Amino acid sequence: MLRGDAEHVWGDIHHLYSSIIDEIDPVTRAKGTKYLSLIMDLAEPLALSDLNQLFADHVHHYLVPFSALTMRTLLKRDICGLKDPSLLHEEIPDFAQRREGIPWALRYACHYWVHHLQHVSPDDEVQEQLLDFLQRRVLLAVEVYAVLGELGLGVNLLRTARRLVTAWPKDSFSSKEDVIALLYDSWRLTLDFFDPISSSALHVYESALPFSPAKSKIRQVYDHLLQSATVFTIEEGLDEEWNCVTRMISVDAKDLEFTATLSPDGSEVAAITPSSVHVWGTATGVLLASLPLGQPCLIRGGIAHSGSHIAFYQSSSALCHVWQPSHGTVISFGGDREAGHSMLMPFIGCVSFSHNEARLACLWGGADNLHQEVTVYDVITRQQLSNVSLGGFSQQPQRSILPFNRDRDWLRFKIRSTTIDFSHEGDCLMVHFMGSTLIFDPVTGREMLRRECCGKNHVVENFVLLFFGPEDAYIFHSSSYLPSRDLPQFRFHHSILPASRNYGRKLLSALPWSVQREASSSLGREEAGMADQPQTVPDSASRRACKIKRIKSGKGQTPSESSPFEVIYILGRDVGATMDGHTVAFCGATRTSWRTPGSDCVGMICEKSDIWLLDLIQAAHQPTFHLSSSDPYLENGYSFACTSELEDWKAYKCLDTENRYLIVDYKSSDGKKGTEILSETYVDEVITALSQSGNYFAIAGRSGSSKGTKVQIWDLAVEPTPVRCNWNGKRCTHIRFSSDSELIAILGTLEDGSYGVVTYSFSDDGLLRTGSISLHPQFWPKNSNRCAIASVGQDFVHLWARPTIDGTLVYLLRWKVATTEIATVAEVPHTGLYSFYPAISPCFERIYSKSRDSSIVMKLNAALENKAAQSEKWLYDVDEEHNPNIYYDALSWSDLCLGTDGWLRKRQRRLCWLPARYRPMSDQEGHYLRLVIYSGTVTFLGLKNNKRLTMRLLNTKIEYLN
């Protein structure tokens, strides 16, 4: 084999390729293709566009096995010798030099293996090479993509390969299902763990693979890598399948009001806030472009993404703007509208591009929703193509007028969001207005179809969605009804199957309707709302589509085969639909393109200040996976009451019976074991608590006409019979057990408005009252709830007190039990909400105070260590080493912590990256990171959906700060 610089041997690389590939003589050409592997080992290959010009189709047959051979020979774990996975690429001084050591032949193979695979027939050799790559080296390739800074390319290649293999003949490939499963798993693994892998490539092995679902194919195939793990192993709590949420993108916290949409292919997500428009990549989560809007304005209209242009409304100008992020240009539409109509504000959510991006449709609406008009523009020339007035308020002869009965319709349709949608060919435009579906020609404005689609006797509010189905053969419709005496709130979906592309009025009587409803009412009552719908069916195929399928609201059940659409329903929202293997995502008032079978489909949900990106293919199979509670008791007639400190005991309140509770032992060896108890009936809010050991359960509240507070305590270890005590408090606000479960303290308000505390100890004779005190009113204004029990001990009870709602100081008080001595021992800064309090270590050495956006760590002054119990006043110093973006362990008080970026650390050293679904709710107000540590295992408490995650740390010595 020749060695050296190709430019010195045969001139530049372009001349080298030309001398071999462009030879007309077939014999010479065949010989030249044999040496392509040698060429790529000598020099950097040409760009893909140049390769396409130079290569004949049959050359790909040589390059597929060459790419496989190159990757089989050169790929290896830690290819650049980075060694330490705790370091980010940017923290390694010679990272750039190490990266240059990746051979160019390997770079070529990693870049173009899918390109060559697309141009060959899937014979046995190709299939075997692909399966071998996926079973042995796909994770090694992901590492190379990350090191080269091209992980986004890796995501796209894996997605493209999966779509390609899905189209291969099934009978010719015995391992096709395994290949598709591995391609999907490697794509999801790269997508879900994009952030840690792109910044530290070795975490494809240290974080991504260990957190891959238990039943995933990639976990089974690469189990040998898990057996040699060096950082941690998962012992409990691993999901069985992939979550349908792939990424969460946070919108600026100042802009809690926003509207978002996806590009037609789902590769980008765009959002408009009162002050700006943003665009992110859905695979990477990287902010691609932003457009400041100048003066903040109300979001009065929607947003649409065509793939290269973004259209949005701005209330301050009453115009529709089209922004091209790649060029930074913004053009405006609607400035030439007639006087009188120019005052119409954009109707919420109504803007749409045609699928070829050539036309833009805008729906302008008045404040009463009756005065609306649809205007269609040519995006390139900016000329108005047509204008259709809705509601009969226009007298202009060039406009189409669609009158409606205002007296009947005004009170029936309180719609905040609707849709306007082009057909796939762009020759039809559909809009919903006052309970009717309208289809008209976007160029001439000629009406092509009008049909009432909502029940005549019910009030529609909030939203109406109308979208063309695949190939424009069906129409998807969804609307929300106001609850009424005759009809509880429900939504329904139906479809229209036109007899032809000619949407003339003569066809209206031949339109079959298929209705699918979701309701909690009786079925007979629902039928009244659709009695007016036509049921004439022209053929047997359409007759099957006319059957009515009803499902209960919120359960995410799948329609029967008679319905043309299957709705993907998550968190009470329609996020997409499937039909004949095609999938579409609903993005507020717009939608993505219908994705063909085998393609991925990105969906989205706007939740508070976040955009949740969804894998709708996964969601279609598991529509509520990880998004609704995974606690079976919450799904079967119970509400959560309280938990023990270690969350191994939980109490639930029965929703059907006011005074019935269920206490569940989550650590029992024979599965979740529950004990049912009946309490007295209380007349106001009750407070519940479980001891740390789970053997005591307490309820406090007012019973009947009793003036005092009644407390019931069950010793669950003996029998569920409560001991009772009375306390003259007006209302109980907090109950806390001591760490050894031998004492209980009850805090509440007294008749005079001040706070009081009473303590009891447990004895063979029942409860023994050990002390009580009325607290000084200077800390607790009347009728305020700004006090909590910090700790309960044999000699002292410590309390947090917050004097004002907007106060930034919290007082730590110490009450000496069995006396009336109470003193303020510390003043602590606190930035959280007034109803939450700092966390304090058992020996009072450290205090954590946090809010959603900041945190403070304080440690006891060194001079007071070991003397805190005797000191009259404690002094805490701010820990200068603390990081406001770190959540610290507030249960075991270990040196483990969790960053807001998802990295689990031992002090500053990164251990692994936790996916969002495994992170505690420590980013929420009043929640801290709480870890249970025992013999090398770490259990995360406070996870979403009542999950528990237990991992065993390897080669890590945990230290404690308390």
Side-chain angles (χ1 to χ4, degrees):
M1 180 179 289
L2 295 175
R3 298 292 181 187
D5 189 343
E7 187 171 345
H8 293 161
V9 179
W10 286 306
D12 63 26
I13 190 66
H14 296 277
H15 179 269
L16 177 61
Y17 273 100
S18 299
S19 65
I20 296 178
I21 305 301
D22 288 347
E23 180 65 46
I24 298 176
D25 181 6
V27 176
T28 305
R29 184 183 184 90
K31 291 180 180 179
T33 56
K34 294 181 180 180
Y35 292 95
L36 281 175
S37 60
L38 174 62
I39 294 170
M40 286 180 287
D41 206 22
L42 288 170
E44 179 180 0
L46 293 176
L48 182 59
S49 58
D50 298 324
L51 290 173
N52 286 332
Q53 295 178 5
L54 295 175
F55 285 4
D57 291 341
H58 71 276
V59 175
H60 296 285
H61 180 74
Y62 291 93
L63 293 180
V64 168
F66 166 75
S67 298
L69 175 62
T70 300
M71 291 190 286
R72 182 168 66 247
T73 304
L74 299 179
L75 281 175
K76 63 179 181 179
R77 182 169 178 173
D78 194 8
I79 191 169
C80 293
L82 303 180
K83 296 182 180 179
D84 188 353
S86 70
L87 298 178
L88 304 183
H89 296 161
E90 61 188 24
E91 297 171 346
I92 301 174
D94 59 345
F95 175 75
Q97 291 83 351
R98 291 174 179 267
R99 180 172 55 191
E100 291 302 318
I102 298 178
W104 285 104
L106 179 59
R107 298 186 187 206
Y108 176 87
C110 290
H111 285 173
Y112 297 122
W113 66 275
V114 176
H115 170 69
H116 296 309
L117 196 64
Q118 291 174 311
H119 293 82
V120 299
S121 59
D123 56 27
D124 293 343
E125 182 182 5
V126 169
Q127 296 171 6
E128 181 181 349
Q129 290 167 347
L130 178 59
L131 181 61
D132 179 72
F133 167 70
L134 293 173
Q135 289 180 335
R136 298 176 183 273
R137 281 170 290 280
V138 67
L139 294 185
L140 306 178
V142 171
E143 179 195 339
V144 171
Y145 292 129
V147 170
L148 295 176
E150 298 175 340
L151 196 59
L153 172 65
V155 171
N156 292 330
L157 290 176
L158 293 168
R159 177 173 51 198
T160 303
R162 177 170 172 262
R163 185 165 56 246
L164 172 66
V165 175
T166 301
W168 287 356
K170 183 177 181 181
D171 297 338
S172 64
F173 192 5
S174 60
S175 301
K176 180 178 179 180
E177 292 185 1
D178 290 343
V179 168
I180 292 177
L182 284 170
L183 284 170
Y184 177 79
D185 288 347
S186 55
W187 170 68
R188 280 300 307 266
L189 179 144
T190 309
L191 191 68
D192 287 20
F193 294 86
F194 189 95
D195 292 345
I197 298 174
S198 61
S199 57
S200 182
L202 296 183
H203 278 274
V204 67
Y205 318 107
E206 306 294 356
S207 292
L209 183 61
F211 278 112
S212 59
K215 292 185 177 180
S216 62
K217 190 70 175 179
I218 200 166
R219 188 180 188 88
Q220 300 171 16
V221 170
Y222 288 89
D223 181 69
H224 61 283
L225 295 181
L226 295 173
Q227 300 302 321
S228 59
T230 60
V231 179
F232 73 98
T233 59
I234 301 293
E235 296 199 348
E236 179 190 359
L238 189 66
D239 292 337
E240 292 188 346
E241 299 185 50
W242 291 103
N243 195 330
C244 62
V245 178
T246 62
R247 176 177 291 277
M248 288 188 288
I249 296 176
S250 294
V251 183
D252 192 338
K254 300 188 298 295
D255 298 319
L256 295 180
E257 180 188 3
F258 69 93
T259 302
T261 189
L262 290 163
S263 60
D265 63 356
S267 62
E268 295 180 356
V269 57
I272 179 173
T273 73
S275 60
S276 57
V277 182
H278 306 290
V279 185
W280 296 269
T282 54
T284 65
V286 173
L287 180 64
L288 303 177
S290 292
L291 177 68
L293 296 180
Q295 185 176 2
C297 59
L298 296 175
I299 301 178
R300 294 297 302 274
I303 182 171
H305 195 324
S306 69
S308 60
H309 296 81
I310 296 173
F312 61 91
Y313 291 115
Q314 191 171 10
S315 62
S316 60
S317 61
L319 298 175
C320 180
H321 306 282
V322 175
W323 171 39
Q324 191 172 8
S326 60
H327 294 79
T329 57
V330 179
I331 57 177
S332 300
F333 294 86
D336 57 347
R337 295 164 64 231
E338 298 177 7
H341 295 157
S342 61
M343 297 304 294
L344 290 177
M345 299 301 293
F347 189 68
I348 293 178
C350 295
V351 58
S352 179
F353 285 101
S354 61
H355 293 269
N356 62 2
E357 304 186 46
R359 296 169 183 169
L360 172 69
C362 304
L363 179 59
W364 314 88
D368 58 3
N369 290 349
L370 286 174
H371 297 174
Q372 298 175 21
E373 62 183 35
V374 179
T375 309
V376 182
Y377 299 94
D378 186 295
V379 175
I380 304 300
T381 65
R382 300 173 60 181
Q383 292 182 345
Q384 177 179 306
L385 301 178
S386 64
N387 185 283
V388 177
S389 295
L390 309 177
F393 66 90
S394 174
Q395 303 301 321
Q396 302 299 323
Q398 72 273 22
R399 297 175 183 238
S400 299
I401 303 175
L402 305 177
F404 289 82
N405 187 328
R406 298 189 186 185
D407 296 335
R408 183 196 69 184
D409 295 333
W410 167 233
L411 295 177
R412 288 184 50 226
F413 298 98
K414 301 177 180 179
I415 303 171
R416 300 177 184 175
S417 179
T418 188
T419 54
I420 183 168
D421 193 36
F422 280 95
S423 63
H424 290 76
E425 297 180 8
D427 56 347
C428 299
L429 186 64
M430 178 170 57
V431 65
H432 178 276
F433 180 70
M434 292 299 155
S436 292
T437 297
L438 310 173
I439 298 178
F440 53 87
D441 189 310
V443 177
T444 65
R446 180 179 63 87
E447 179 184 338
M448 304 170 70
L449 180 145
R450 184 198 308 185
R451 191 63 184 166
E452 184 166 340
C453 54
C454 299
K456 292 183 177 180
N457 303 318
H458 311 297
V459 178
V460 182
E461 73 158 4
N462 292 335
F463 75 89
V464 171
L465 302 180
L466 280 172
F467 296 117
F468 283 100
E471 301 179 357
D472 302 336
Y474 287 84
I475 295 173
F476 175 89
H477 176 281
S478 177
S479 59
S480 173
Y481 282 64
L482 271 179
S484 66
R485 183 181 64 180
D486 298 326
L487 184 69
Q489 184 173 7
F490 75 97
R491 55 162 47 90
F492 69 91
H493 312 286
H494 61 247
S495 57
I496 307 172
L497 176 61
S500 71
R501 293 285 296 168
N502 178 19
Y503 295 98
R505 288 180 179 272
K506 63 182 180 180
L507 299 176
L508 292 182
S509 61
L511 291 178
W513 295 74
S514 172
V515 182
Q516 171 211 153
R517 308 190 182 194
E518 305 176 16
S520 56
S521 62
S522 64
L523 299 182
R525 219 184 307 171
E526 295 170 19
E527 291 180 342
M530 294 298 294
D532 56 298
Q533 301 297 352
Q535 296 294 331
T536 304
V537 182
D539 52 47
S540 60
S542 298
R543 188 177 299 113
R544 288 194 299 271
C546 280
K547 295 180 181 179
I548 296 177
K549 173 66 177 178
R550 303 173 177 84
I551 59 178
K552 293 183 179 179
S553 176
K555 292 298 183 182
Q557 287 139 334
T558 303
S560 68
E561 293 181 357
S562 63
S563 175
F565 295 100
E566 295 183 2
V567 181
I568 305 174
Y569 185 80
I570 295 177
L571 292 182
R573 286 167 256 187
D574 300 331
V575 299
T578 62
M579 178 181 177
D580 295 334
H582 295 72
T583 308
V584 67
F586 302 149
C587 321
T590 60
R591 64 174 173 91
T592 63
S593 300
W594 283 92
R595 309 296 288 169
T596 57
S599 301
D600 62 294
C601 185
V602 179
M604 54 162 262
I605 290 178
C606 295
E607 187 71 13
K608 297 182 180 178
S609 61
D610 296 326
I611 301 173
W612 294 8
L613 299 179
L614 310 172
D615 176 4
L616 287 193
I617 304 301
Q618 184 75 4
H621 298 291
Q622 297 172 332
T624 58
F625 191 64
H626 291 315
L627 292 181
S628 64
S629 173
S630 59
D631 190 322
Y633 297 101
L634 298 182
E635 298 175 353
N636 290 280
Y638 289 90
S639 63
F640 178 75
C642 64
T643 180
S644 62
E645 188 174 37
L646 301 183
E647 295 187 7
D648 44 10
W649 290 79
K650 293 182 180 180
Y652 301 88
K653 185 178 186 298
C654 180
L655 297 178
D656 297 332
T657 306
E658 185 177 355
N659 60 339
R660 189 172 68 175
Y661 291 82
L662 184 68
I663 316 301
V664 180
D665 180 5
Y666 277 80
K667 61 179 177 54
S668 59
S669 58
D670 56 345
K672 298 176 183 178
K673 184 179 180 181
T675 300
E676 189 173 278
I677 62 173
L678 293 175
S679 70
E680 294 188 14
T681 301
Y682 295 97
V683 297
D684 58 3
E685 182 182 1
V686 299
I687 302 297
T688 59
L690 274 164
S691 64
Q692 182 167 315
S693 61
N695 56 326
Y696 291 112
F697 174 63
I699 301 178
R702 295 179 62 188
S703 176
S705 59
S706 174
K707 294 183 178 180
T709 297
K710 285 194 173 183
V711 182
Q712 293 178 282
I713 303 175
W714 284 261
D715 184 349
L716 303 176
V718 180
E719 57 182 38
T721 302
V723 293
R724 296 177 174 84
C725 63
N726 292 323
W727 176 54
N728 62 351
K730 180 180 179 181
R731 184 171 66 93
C732 177
T733 59
H734 195 193
I735 299 174
R736 189 179 181 99
F737 289 88
S738 60
S739 58
D740 60 5
S741 302
E742 297 296 327
L743 302 169
I744 183 173
I746 303 169
L747 170 71
T749 56
L750 304 177
E751 292 295 336
D752 61 1
S754 63
Y755 274 83
V757 184
V758 60
T759 58
Y760 294 90
S761 65
F762 297 99
S763 66
D764 295 338
D765 298 328
L767 289 178
L768 176 63
R769 184 165 177 164
T770 59
S772 64
I773 189 174
S774 177
L775 304 175
H776 198 285
Q778 71 179 18
F779 297 111
W780 300 274
K782 290 184 178 181
N783 301 322
S784 64
N785 184 13
R786 304 187 196 100
C787 182
I789 304 171
S791 67
V792 179
Q794 290 287 348
D795 300 320
F796 296 99
V797 172
H798 292 85
L799 304 107
W800 292 113
R802 194 162 191 170
T804 59
I805 292 179
D806 57 351
T808 57
L809 288 179
V810 177
Y811 298 96
L812 180 62
L813 309 183
R814 181 174 60 187
W815 168 43
K816 189 174 183 179
V817 180
T819 73
T820 57
E821 297 179 16
I822 188 167
T824 302
V825 294
E827 297 178 1
V828 179
H830 183 50
T831 59
L833 293 179
Y834 76 93
S835 55
F836 298 111
Y837 297 89
I840 189 167
S841 63
C843 295
F844 311 104
E845 295 175 357
R846 298 181 71 86
I847 293 177
Y848 295 159
S849 174
K850 67 174 286 292
S851 65
R852 183 180 177 88
D853 302 318
S854 63
S855 65
I856 300 175
V857 179
M858 289 156 287
K859 56 184 179 181
L860 191 65
N861 187 277
L864 294 177
E865 290 185 5
N866 302 322
K867 300 179 182 179
Q870 292 78 29
S871 301
E872 295 295 330
K873 195 78 172 180
W874 300 344
L875 178 62
Y876 288 89
D877 301 322
V878 175
D879 189 345
E880 300 297 338
E881 297 181 358
H882 96 282
N883 185 335
N885 296 318
I886 295 291
Y887 300 126
Y888 297 92
D889 179 10
L891 180 59
S892 297
W893 300 88
S894 67
D895 61 349
L896 299 179
C897 54
L898 180 65
T900 56
D901 54 5
W903 287 104
L904 178 67
R905 305 167 184 252
K906 173 181 164 59
R907 298 183 185 265
Q908 298 301 318
R909 181 179 177 83
R910 298 177 189 86
L911 298 176
C912 65
W913 188 84
L914 292 180
R917 60 186 177 277
Y918 295 116
R919 298 176 202 168
M921 295 184 290
S922 50
D923 61 333
Q924 298 186 13
E925 193 73 55
H927 292 269
Y928 294 89
L929 177 64
R930 301 171 63 245
L931 305 177
V932 178
I933 302 174
Y934 177 75
S935 187
T937 63
V938 179
T939 299
F940 293 79
L941 303 182
L943 272 63
K944 298 179 178 69
N945 304 327
N946 284 319
K947 290 176 61 66
R948 291 170 66 94
L949 175 69
T950 301
M951 62 170 57
R952 179 174 294 277
L953 295 182
L954 309 173
N955 305 314
T956 299
K957 182 180 179 181
I958 302 174
E959 298 178 353
Y960 298 89
L961 305 177
N962 181 57

